[in-house]
Amino acid sequence: MTRPGRPGRHVLVLGGTTEGRRLAGELLAAHPTGLRVTTSLAGRVAAPRLPEAGEVRIGGFGGPAGLADWLREHAVDLLIDATHPFAVRVGANAALAAGETGVPLLALRRPGWTPVPGDRWHPVDSLAEAAGLLPTLGSRILLTTGRLGLAAFAHLAEPWFLVRSVDPPTGPCPPRMGVLTARGPFDLDGERALLREYRIDVLVTKDSGGTATAPKLTAAREVGVPVVIVRRPEPPAGVPTVTDPAEAVARVGALLFDTPR
Ligand SMILES: NC(=O)c1ccc[n+]([C@@H]2O[C@H](COP(=O)([O-])OP(=O)(O)OC[C@H]3O[C@@H](n4cnc5c(N)ncnc54)[C@H](OP(=O)(O)O)[C@@H]3O)[C@@H](O)[C@H]2O)c1
């Protein structure tokens, strides 16, 4: 690919996470000149939190081929997949598009959570498996797995669910359900109060990792509430991965600026 007369290097960040949102600002602070950063959001959330710096585009690309076209048309030098660990399709698309175009790909994934003494975790591999366990565990369930997976719980007529999600749910839902629209970060006092107020006896969460939504795990541990935790899907193989934005900034510097063009 020839890029005559280009003023600088262009990084495309696939975002939708706290780390992805921070990354554009940290990259541009580290490289105030010579770097263009575009953050891409899926457009799932009605009012997304936007990155503090750089350009933003919203909406799908049209699969791996559409993403590959976008990389070529916008002369992208580096693709960073900073999407959520459970966003498996976009992660796979990124790997395919990078392979097709030869654009280097870096993944930014925060580490998952690890249990500590006192936790009563029930790891499962899917929302369907989580739903299968619930009747044996409790009857007032805090569901924090996102509004889009609620269909997996829609057949459960007995338990009462408190669904916490950024936007209100649409589509199939459990029949006995309350909804709390809220966006993290959440603090420990608030999570303790939530469990108490709604008399929650089971928590369901994905292993999202990070600090913004971790206090619910501490609150559950304190009162002995079991946690059904959905394990992370396998990430695409062979993609170099960093775990925080600072590490990503260092890798971008090495990849784009420490090596001759
Ligand atoms: N899954 C979760 O639990 C979760 C939690 C928190 C945040 N998120 C964020 O929400 C977004 C959607 O998650 P998902 O699980 O629905 O994803 P997904 O199933 O992996 O992706 C579905 C489709 O959405 C589009 N897409 C996803 N992320 C995109 C991005 N950053 N920019 C442009 N298009 C994107 C792509 O459409 P095309 O094929 O048309 O390009 C992709 O094929 C992700 O960006 C993710 O970071 C997800």
Side-chain angles (χ1 to χ4, degrees), residues 58-84:
I58 296 182
F61 294 92
L67 177 55
D69 287 345
W70 203 98
L71 296 175
R72 288 192 201 95
E73 280 163 21
H74 296 82
V76 172
D77 296 285
L78 176 65
L79 176 60
I80 303 182
D81 172 13
T83 59
H84 194 270

Side-chain angles (χ1 to χ4, degrees), residues 14-17 40-42 44 57 59-64 82-84 86-91 93 145 148 206:
L14 302 174
T17 54
S40 175
L41 302 175
R44 291 279 189 290
R57 68 163 298 288
F61 294 92
T83 59
H84 194 270
F86 283 82
V88 284
R89 268 170 50 202
V90 67
N93 291 354
T145 46
L148 297 176
K206 292 174 176 171

Side-chain angles (χ1 to χ4, degrees), residues 147-210:
R147 70 192 170 103
L148 297 176
L150 284 184
F153 303 91
H155 63 288
L156 292 176
E158 288 299 318
W160 180 81
F161 289 87
L162 179 62
V163 174
R164 182 167 70 184
S165 56
V166 175
D167 287 322
T170 52
C173 292
R176 300 183 63 235
M177 177 181 92
V179 174
L180 204 56
T181 52
R183 188 185 333 229
F186 300 104
D187 66 29
L188 183 55
D189 283 345
E191 299 296 58
R192 284 175 177 140
L194 186 75
L195 297 190
R196 212 172 33 241
E197 183 181 343
Y198 290 95
R199 293 180 287 115
I200 296 298
D201 58 12
V202 187
L203 165 66
V204 185
T205 180
K206 292 174 176 171
D207 180 12
S208 297

Side-chain angles (χ1 to χ4, degrees), residues 80-114:
I80 303 182
D81 172 13
T83 59
H84 194 270
F86 283 82
V88 284
R89 268 170 50 202
V90 67
N93 291 354
L96 289 168
E100 187 187 322
T101 56
V103 171
L105 170 64
L106 180 67
L108 168 57
R109 295 261 183 283
R110 60 190 177 220
W113 290 314
T114 45

